[in-house]
Amino acid sequence: MQIDETDRALLALLGQNARLPVATLARKLGLARTTVQARLDRLETSGVIAGYSLRLGQEARPGLRATALVSIEPRSGPAVLARLKSLPQVRRVHTTSGRFDLIVTLEATTTQELDDTLDRIGEAKGVRSSESLIHLSTKLDRGA
């Protein structure tokens, strides 16, 4: 699907605040409300917009966040991913190139919970090694 400059402007506005009413979006884009609604419908149907979600503020987020860099054994990806999916503290898993195979984002309410989760990751069959990084403060968050 082709995305033009108007679609990009619409997506940028939604990225700032996905709750903006269609009428407000139309006014900011200089378009008719029905045109904006049709574009939204097309972007949703085509999968460009996969959904709308809630972004919690700092006060509502778990107190601890960390990143685990994980190296895995060859052909163990599906088993390791299944283990990671079973851990509620695991928020995101990305494959990567370089020294590590996976980047795992974690959230926990206590240091004990975080430590237990890191232990469970390290014990997973197929995990060769891991390194964890505790997030101290957020300097920039563009909400991706």
Side-chain angles (χ1 to χ4, degrees):
M1 179 185 142
Q2 293 284 64
I3 298 175
D4 63 17
E5 289 304 312
T6 302
D7 290 332
R8 284 187 184 81
L10 175 57
L11 293 169
L13 288 171
L14 291 171
Q16 293 169 11
N17 182 356
R19 295 188 68 201
L20 285 174
V22 175
T24 303
L25 293 167
R27 187 175 63 255
K28 289 181 179 241
L29 294 170
L31 299 171
R33 190 189 60 73
T34 55
T35 302
V36 171
Q37 186 62 59
R39 283 179 177 266
L40 284 171
D41 292 343
R42 180 176 51 82
L43 292 167
E44 290 170 0
T45 301
S46 68
V48 172
I49 296 176
Y52 302 88
S53 64
L54 172 68
R55 284 183 52 210
L56 296 174
Q58 290 291 56
E59 295 300 317
R61 289 183 186 168
L64 295 168
R65 289 170 292 144
T67 297
L69 305 172
V70 181
S71 292
I72 62 174
E73 299 291 335
R75 295 176 294 286
S76 65
V80 172
L81 185 57
R83 173 64 167 212
L84 294 172
K85 285 180 179 178
S86 76
L87 302 172
Q89 295 78 15
V90 172
R91 305 299 296 158
R92 285 175 207 82
V93 178
H94 305 277
T95 57
T96 186
S97 62
R99 195 170 67 140
F100 296 97
D101 301 299
L102 302 174
I103 298 173
V104 181
T105 304
L106 307 159
E107 292 181 349
T109 55
T110 66
T111 54
Q112 183 64 45
E113 182 181 57
L114 180 60
D115 191 36
D116 290 345
T117 302
L118 291 168
D119 285 346
R120 291 174 72 192
I121 291 170
E123 296 165 354
K125 184 176 180 180
V127 170
R128 183 181 298 155
S129 67
S130 67
E131 182 177 325
S132 58
L133 306 161
I134 308 294
H135 300 198
L136 299 177
S137 66
T138 301
K139 303 298 185 185
L140 176 68
D141 182 356
R142 291 198 171 124

